[in-house]
C-alpha cells in the first residue's frame, strides 16, 4: 500500500472510531450499528467493514483508542492544574467534565448495557478493568497521593466513583454547572485527607 493510501486508510479508520464514540454517546449500544457509524463517518458500509468486520470489533477499537487518548490527556493536564488548595477542586472538576464528555457518555451507555448483555460484558469488562487501573493511577498522580496512606487511596477511588455518578446524571440533566457546588464540597473534604497533595 502506498503512503497516500496508508494515510487515507488511517484517516478513514479514525473517522469511524470518532463516529462510533459519538453514536454510543448519543444513541447508546442498542442504537449503534456499523451502517449507522459508516453514515456518520461519511464512508460506505463496505469501507467500514474493511476496517472493522463486526460491531464488536468497531466498539472495542473505539474504546481502546479513546482510553489511550484520555489517559495521555490526563497526564498532560498536570501542568494546567491549580497549585495548593485549589488542586483537588481542579482534579475533581476535570474528572466530572471527562464523564460528561462524549467518551464518558459512551462508556456509561456501554457499561449499563453490559450489565444485562453477557456477550457485551465479555467485550467491555477487560477494557473497563484496564481503564480503571489507568484512571486510578492518573488521578492519584494528579492529586499527589501518598499510596501508603489507606485513607488517601480510598479517597481516590471514591472521587472517581463520585464523578462517574455525576457524569451519569448528565445523561438526563446535561447541565454540569448545577453540580459545581457539590463537587467543590467534596474537593474541600479531599484537601483535608492525610496523604493527599503530598
Amino acid at each position: 500500500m502506498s503512503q497516500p493510501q496508508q494515510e487515507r486508510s488511517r484517516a478513514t479508520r479514525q473517522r469511524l472510531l470518532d463516529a462510533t464514540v459519538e453514536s454510543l454517546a448519543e444513541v447508546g449500544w442498542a442504537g449503534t450499528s456499523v451502517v449507522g457509524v459508516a453514515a456518520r463517518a461519511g464512508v460506505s458500509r463496505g469501507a467500514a467493514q474493511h476496517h472493522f468486520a463486526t460491531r464488536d470489533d468497531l466498539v472495542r477499537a473505539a474504546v481502546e483508542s479513546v482510553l489511550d487518548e484520555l489517559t495521555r490527556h490526563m497526564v498532560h493536564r498536570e501542568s494546567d492544574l491549580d497549585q495548593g488548595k485549589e488542586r483537588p477542586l481542579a482534579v475533581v472538576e476535570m474528572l466530572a467534565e471527562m464523564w460528561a464528555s462524549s467518551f464518558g457518555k459512551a462508556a456509561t451507555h456501554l457499561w449499563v448495557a453490559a450489565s444485562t448483555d453477557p456477550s457485551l460484558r465479555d467485550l467491555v469488562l477487560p477494557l473497563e478493568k484496564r481503564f480503571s487501573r489507568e484512571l486510578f493511577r492518573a488521578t492519584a498522580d494528579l492529586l499527589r497521593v501518598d499510596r501508603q496512606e489507606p485513607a488517601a487511596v480510598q479517597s481516590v477511588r471514591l472521587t472517581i466513583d463520585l464523578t462517574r455518578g455525576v457524569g451519569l446524571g448528565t445523561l438526563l440533566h446535561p447541565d454540569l454547572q448545577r453540580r459545581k457546588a457539590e463537587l467543590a464540597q467534596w474537593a474541600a473534604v479531599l484537601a483535608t485527607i492525610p496523604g493527599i497533595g503530598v
Side-chain angles (χ1 to χ4, degrees):
M1 188 182 288
S2 69
Q3 191 67 24
Q5 284 177 313
Q6 287 178 335
E7 288 172 8
R8 281 196 300 273
S9 180
R10 274 196 295 270
T12 298
R13 179 182 169 87
Q14 190 58 52
R15 283 203 314 273
L16 287 164
L17 294 176
D18 293 344
T20 303
V21 173
E22 289 171 10
S23 178
L24 288 167
E26 291 174 20
V27 299
W29 169 251
T32 297
S33 66
V34 174
V35 173
V37 166
R40 278 178 185 265
V43 303
S44 69
R45 179 179 181 170
Q49 290 182 317
H50 170 73
H51 289 278
F52 304 102
T54 67
R55 179 174 68 158
D56 286 3
D57 292 339
L58 186 59
V59 170
R60 182 184 295 109
V63 174
E64 286 177 341
S65 171
V66 176
L67 189 158
D68 291 340
E69 185 178 320
L70 181 62
T71 303
R72 283 193 300 271
H73 175 73
M74 286 193 67
V75 170
H76 290 126
R77 282 288 304 271
E78 181 164 15
S79 61
D80 299 336
L81 294 177
D82 294 331
Q83 302 301 315
K85 292 180 183 177
E86 296 303 313
R87 190 178 183 88
L89 178 59
V91 172
V92 167
E93 288 184 345
M94 182 180 74
L95 286 168
E97 287 163 6
M98 178 194 79
W99 289 116
S101 71
S102 291
F103 171 72
K105 290 176 182 176
T108 300
H109 279 297
L110 274 176
W111 291 332
V112 169
S115 69
T116 57
D117 181 331
S119 63
L120 181 59
R121 181 182 172 84
D122 290 343
L123 169 73
V124 168
L125 200 56
L127 300 174
E128 196 279 334
K129 285 180 178 176
R130 180 179 143 217
F131 173 70
S132 293
R133 284 194 305 271
E134 294 293 335
L135 184 58
F136 175 86
R137 185 179 305 121
T139 303
D141 289 347
L142 290 173
L143 287 170
R144 296 178 178 153
V145 167
D146 177 356
R147 288 174 172 82
Q148 302 305 311
E149 286 281 355
V153 171
Q154 290 167 357
S155 296
V156 171
R157 292 195 180 99
L158 182 56
T159 299
I160 292 169
D161 288 344
L162 172 73
T163 54
R164 191 190 313 232
V166 168
L168 179 61
T170 64
L171 292 178
L172 292 177
H173 304 286
D175 186 7
L176 189 57
Q177 290 300 115
R178 294 176 49 219
R179 308 301 299 270
K180 293 284 186 177
E182 290 136 341
L183 293 172
Q185 190 174 15
W186 171 245
V189 172
L190 201 55
T192 68
I193 294 170
I196 300 282
V198 294

